[in-house]
Each structure stands twice: as structure tokens, then as C-alpha cells.
Amino acid sequence: KAMSRSHRDHKIVIIGAGASGIACATKLLEYGFQNVLVFEAEDRLGGRIHTIPFGANVIDMGAQWCHGEQDNIVHELASKHDLLESTGPVYENYQCVRSNREVLPDSVANRLKAIVGDSLVTRQLELRHCSGSLGSYLSNKFYEMLQRPENADIDQVIADEFFDNYKKFENSVEASDTLEEVSGRGYLNYWECEGDILLNWKDKGYVELLRLLMHSRELPSDSEAALGILEQRVLFNSCVKCINWNRNDARVELQLANGESCLADHVIVTVSLGVLKEQHLQLFEPKLPVAKQRAVEGLAFGTVNKLFVEFPQAFWPEDWTGFTLLWREEDLSDIRNTSRAWLEDVFGFYRVSYQPNVLAGWIINANGRHMETLPEDEVIAGIMYLFRRFLHWSIPEPVSFRTSAWYTNEHFRGSYSFRSMDTERLGTGASELAQPLTVVTMTPQSPSRDKSLPQQSRCDKPIVLFAGEATSEHYYSTVHGAVEAGWREAKRLADFYGLSGAAS
């Protein structure tokens, strides 16, 4: 259907140039909208996708893997260009090392890993009827399996240490501080895509996905920041301070931090749930409807950080993939109540694909947020303390070091969303967050030959729309969830203007 001039020129502003914002902007252009602008508060593209040069090539400070293959839009886009590769069993073959440098024998470590691995399978069936937290469910499950005769020889103390570490790992998957706050039933809202769940981007990093979306891979790579079809459409360092969405003219006025303002016909908000939680009361004028506020407050958003350490050469054996840190209770007193207490929540270090001399550590919860505020030399000293405390090799001083800092950055305030016990209690979810704000307006109908017929009708115009991973019902916390959410909102506008057939 041919597009009338006015439809094509309707001004659409997207807030946030992360995966969701870019997916939305590029899809709107495919539908034929031409007046599309993206405001990005950072000075770079990508949001929680952040690929930077490091070591032998690049590292991903944020999103790192394409999780699964089946029904995964990221996999579909990337596999056409052979961009993905299995990370292999790095996160299964790790050593479990105690704080006295004792390495758990494979026979014990593999059984403990199998116990938590098996629970993954039965979770799908059992959590449906679970009214409690993921934490209480996993604890019951773990200790129940431990009681079985075939596990009778596993030392209870070591099992406790292993399970403590495993809970930290599970918190990093959820972005929760404790598993007690994760809803058992809500955990099932997340759909795992079948296939390899740890596909990496080889030596390119997740930024490749953005280049795919913007068609900038086809351009000469001399301009690293080539925006492809979004050239001239992304305004960096542009922070939106107020969204005035209930004006008489059915348009939205955006107030920017630099004092400028901008009028738009539609605004698509793709900022993180962390930013919405912190700012929604000041950001929206008038305030959001109660159901929407409940979604913002009820869905949970947490922080997971990474610590990358590059050594002059690998000090570990060829077949070693990394280790998890099992603290003995008596050794924890060495760091608790000291300035190194935060180290308790660094749960493991692992090899990084295409980075022969780099190990990546992970840290969760309040200690992960605290780590962001420490001077770099203090963080490095802490990390080296862990390496030298747990490993028996001689360990050289690192040559470079980088950590992520997702919480202290006011444009993120954390890493990704999950379903908490509060989400359950408030009876809210992603679909409430994804609901657009609408205003009643008169819409022009297709011209009719009969001049006596009315040319307009009343309708609900979606004026402020919401995308981003947290608005995804089943793929929250992932890039494929973010991309799909961006496409969903582009389609909502295309449907509103009767244009859905226009894009592929």
C-alpha cells in the first residue's frame, strides 16, 4: 500500500542506541518511515553491548554470548555470515579449587557438577508448582541429591563450599543478589533457546550484531563508527531528562539535559529497567499510569560485573579452562571485615576465546557494585591476592586489566532484568512494561470516493512505546530479547499506520 506523505514524515524518536533501539530504528526505516532519530546518552553505540580492544584483540564488557540457536533472532542474523563459534566446555570443565589450594578431584567435582546440572532438567517440571524462591528450591534439591547412597562419600563441608560457589554462579545468570529473591515460578518465564547456549563472536565481539543491523558491515571499515543506514540519525551525548506525553496536540515533547527540547509524534523508550526504576517519577510528565509504575518497580534489575586480566604469557596448562573459588569457612575470616571483603563474591575465572593470555573473572551483588567504586590498583591487588591464594603456580604480574562498571553508570544502573518474588507479589510482568502509553486522536482514513462519508475516526495513538530486554516476556536479559522487542515496537507503529506489509 502506498504510503501517504504525512505517514512517512511522522517524527519518531528512539531513546537509547543499544541493541533494542538500533533494531527498532533500522526496522522503522525498512517500513518506510523516514523521520527517525535516536538519542543516546553515552558517547558510543551499543548500550549493554560494549566491545573494546584488549589483549590480542577485543573483549565484551557487556553482552558476550549468543544464547542458543533455535528461535534466536541473533543466531539467525549472525549464522548467515558465519560469525559465531562454540565457546566449548569452558564453563563445565573448570577446576574447583579451595582456598588452601586444594583442587577437588575430578571424581568429586564432576558428581557435584552433575547434581546441579541434573536439577536444571527437573526444574522445568517442578518449578511450576513452586510458590517459593529459586534459592529454596535449589537448596532442597541439592541436599536431597547429596543424601543419595552413591554420593555418600562426598565430604559435607566440601559439598557446602561447592554449593555456595554454585549459588554465586546462578546469581550471575539471573543478575540477582541472592537466589532467595528470585521467583521460582517466575524463573520459568524465561525460555532457553535450544542449541549451544554459549556461542561467541570469535575475534570480532558482539558489536558485529550492531553492524549487521545497521548494514554497516558492507561499508569500508576505515571508519570504525560507521553507522550504516543510521548515519546522521544517532545523536550521542544526548540525555533525555523529561518526556512530556500528554499535550493537547497529541505529540511528545522531550527535554534534553543540555536545555534543548524536541517534538515528536512517537517516542520509543529503550533505556534499561535500572534507569526507569531510578528516574521514572521525574522522567515522565504526567507520571506513568499506576499499572506501568508497578511493572517498573516490580520487575527486578541487578548487576553482574566482569574482571579481565591479561598476563605476559599463559601460566596455566594448555587444557586448563579456568577455576571456581571454593572458600573454606576458616579462610573467609582473613578477608571478612577488611577492605578485601568484596573478593568473597568473585566466584570464578575462565579462559577467553581468541585471547591466549587473558582470564575473565565474574563478580556479583553488592560486592560487585562496591568493586566499581574502588581505585583500579586496589582491584588489581585484590584479584592478584586471589590468584596467589588459590593457585599453586608462580603467577606473573598482569600487563593489562579492565573491569566493567554497569551499576555506577547512571545510564544503566545495572546489567539485566529478572523475575523476583516482588514481581510475583505485585502480579506484574513484561507485558505490562511493554504496554504503550496512548492518547485519543483523530486518524485520517483512506480517501473515500463518497464525499459524504466522514474522513476521520477516533483512535488510540501509541505515543510513548517501550522496548528493551526487560519488556520481553520470555527472552528478557538477552540481546535476542532486546532485538525482538525493538522490532515489536516498530511493527506496532507500522500497524498503526497500516504499513506492516512493507518490511521483510
Side-chain angles (χ1 to χ4, degrees):
K1 165 173 171 181
M3 193 176 196
S4 75
R5 182 95 202 111
S6 62
H7 287 164
R8 191 180 308 154
D9 291 340
H10 275 146
K11 182 161 189 175
I12 304 172
V13 170
I14 296 165
I15 304 176
S20 208
I22 288 175
C24 186
T26 49
K27 189 60 84 177
L28 285 167
L29 294 176
E30 273 181 51
Y31 281 124
F33 292 99
Q34 289 179 358
N35 199 346
V36 176
L37 194 58
V38 184
F39 286 147
E40 170 52 58
E42 294 274 303
D43 58 3
R44 62 174 181 84
L45 210 59
R48 286 168 273 165
I49 290 176
H50 188 21
T51 305
I52 62 166
F54 185 85
N57 50 69
V58 295
I59 49 174
D60 277 312
M61 303 300 278
Q64 184 165 340
W65 292 291
C66 170
H67 293 297
E69 301 167 45
Q70 209 85 43
D71 297 323
N72 182 327
I73 204 68
V74 170
H75 182 264
E76 204 174 300
L77 289 167
S79 53
K80 291 176 188 157
H81 302 272
D82 190 29
L83 289 168
L84 299 171
E85 180 176 87
S86 178
T87 299
V90 172
Y91 286 77
E92 293 158 27
N93 290 356
Y94 57 86
Q95 283 188 325
C96 300
V97 186
R98 303 179 76 198
S99 47
N100 60 355
R101 296 186 178 172
E102 181 191 325
V103 178
L104 256 52
D106 283 349
S107 59
V108 175
N110 290 342
R111 272 185 295 158
L112 288 168
K113 290 176 190 178
I115 291 175
V116 292
D118 290 347
S119 86
L120 273 167
V121 181
T122 51
R123 272 179 219 187
Q124 298 300 331
L125 301 166
E126 298 177 348
L127 283 169
R128 278 186 206 134
H129 314 292
C130 160
S131 56
S133 70
L134 181 64
S136 58
Y137 168 80
L138 290 179
S139 294
N140 292 338
K141 200 90 195 128
F142 181 78
Y143 287 105
E144 188 184 301
M145 303 275 278
L146 207 56
Q147 300 312 311
R148 294 193 175 167
E150 66 268 28
N151 296 321
D153 60 323
I154 298 180
D155 181 306
Q156 181 75 45
V157 173
I158 285 177
D160 289 345
E161 291 168 9
F162 174 87
F163 190 58
D164 272 343
N165 178 274
Y166 176 72
K167 285 188 290 190
K168 293 172 195 172
F169 168 78
E170 192 74 55
N171 277 310
S172 79
V173 173
E174 296 295 313
S176 47
D177 277 12
T178 75
L179 294 180
E180 276 48 61
E181 63 183 329
V182 182
S183 158
R185 202 181 296 131
Y187 173 89
L188 291 183
N189 280 344
Y190 179 78
W191 290 357
E192 192 88 68
C193 296
E194 279 178 47
D196 192 331
I197 58 164
L198 295 182
L199 291 163
N200 69 66
W201 293 80
K202 302 188 185 176
D203 53 352
K204 300 272 196 303
Y206 225 126
V207 68
E208 278 298 287
L209 173 73
L210 308 178
R211 295 187 183 132
L212 279 177
L213 290 168
M214 299 184 301
H215 304 294
S216 64
R217 296 188 86 238
E218 293 109 67
L219 300 174
S221 59
D222 52 346
S223 67
E224 261 307 308
L227 295 175
I229 57 175
L230 293 186
E231 205 63 65
Q232 312 275 292
R233 295 182 184 276
V234 184
L235 294 176
F236 294 107
N237 302 306
S238 299
C239 189
V240 175
K241 281 295 177 216
C242 184
I243 301 171
N244 187 337
W245 60 277
N246 206 9
R247 295 159 47 95
N248 300 335
D249 59 359
R251 299 183 83 194
V252 190
E253 185 183 12
L254 300 176
Q255 299 286 345
L256 296 166
N258 66 4
E260 290 178 20
S261 68
C262 161
L263 275 181
D265 295 291
H266 304 275
V267 169
I268 301 166
V269 178
T270 76
V271 301
S272 77
L273 177 60
V275 169
L276 285 178
K277 281 179 174 295
E278 183 177 72
Q279 297 180 18
H280 75 92
L281 290 172
Q282 302 87 56
L283 189 57
F284 295 93
E285 177 57 47
K287 289 184 178 33
L288 292 172
V290 172
K292 176 74 78 182
Q293 290 194 34
R294 205 168 52 224
V296 170
E297 283 155 18
L299 290 167
F301 195 73
T303 306
V304 184
N305 275 315
K306 302 186 202 180
L307 315 130
F308 290 96
V309 195
E310 184 195 9
F311 293 95
Q313 68 279 325
F315 57 78
W316 49 86
E318 194 63 38
D319 60 350
W320 185 82
T321 64
F323 73 109
T324 54
L325 294 81
L326 274 48
W327 280 97
R328 301 189 315 163
E329 196 55 48
E330 61 265 39
D331 292 339
L332 276 170
S333 56
D334 294 350
I335 59 169
R336 281 194 179 150
N337 301 319
T338 76
S339 62
R340 289 201 164 145
W342 62 274
L343 291 168
E344 187 178 341
D345 285 310
V346 177
F347 61 84
F349 287 91
Y350 306 87
R351 296 272 292 273
V352 181
S353 308
Y354 293 88
Q355 291 279 16
N357 304 333
V358 173
L359 293 177
W362 295 77
I363 183 169
I364 54 157
N365 77 31
N367 284 326
R369 297 190 285 276
H370 173 67
M371 179 277 295
E372 299 183 22
T373 66
L374 298 174
E376 184 173 284
D377 55 353
E378 205 174 312
V379 180
I380 296 175
I383 295 308
M384 292 310 291
Y385 166 82
L386 289 180
F387 281 134
R388 289 171 176 151
R389 164 150 214 157
F390 280 78
L391 301 177
H392 53 78
W393 299 304
S394 153
I395 297 164
E397 285 300 306
V399 289
S400 60
F401 181 77
R402 277 302 288 266
T403 66
S404 61
W406 292 110
Y407 180 73
T408 45
N409 186 325
E410 63 180 342
H411 302 142
F412 300 102
R413 292 292 185 231
S415 306
Y416 36 87
S417 65
F418 65 98
R419 307 294 173 256
S420 68
M421 297 303 284
D422 281 347
T423 313
E424 293 276 311
R425 201 170 45 78
L426 291 170
T428 189
S431 57
E432 283 82 358
L433 189 61
Q435 227 26 60
L437 305 176
T438 57
V439 292
V440 176
T441 173
M442 305 305 285
T443 180
Q445 298 299 297
S446 305
S448 156
R449 290 176 184 237
D450 183 349
K451 297 287 180 259
S452 63
L453 290 173
Q455 300 293 296
Q456 292 194 319
S457 69
R458 289 165 62 83
C459 72
D460 284 338
K461 170 182 173 180
I463 191 162
V464 179
L465 302 84
F466 294 83
E469 55 85 10
T471 70
S472 170
E473 189 79 57
H474 299 299
Y475 294 142
Y476 54 88
S477 79
T478 68
V479 177
H480 56 276
V483 169
E484 276 194 4
W487 286 356
R488 178 193 70 217
E489 296 311 308
K491 183 175 187 305
R492 195 190 300 273
L493 286 182
D495 286 345
F496 179 71
Y497 290 113
L499 305 163
S500 309
S504 51

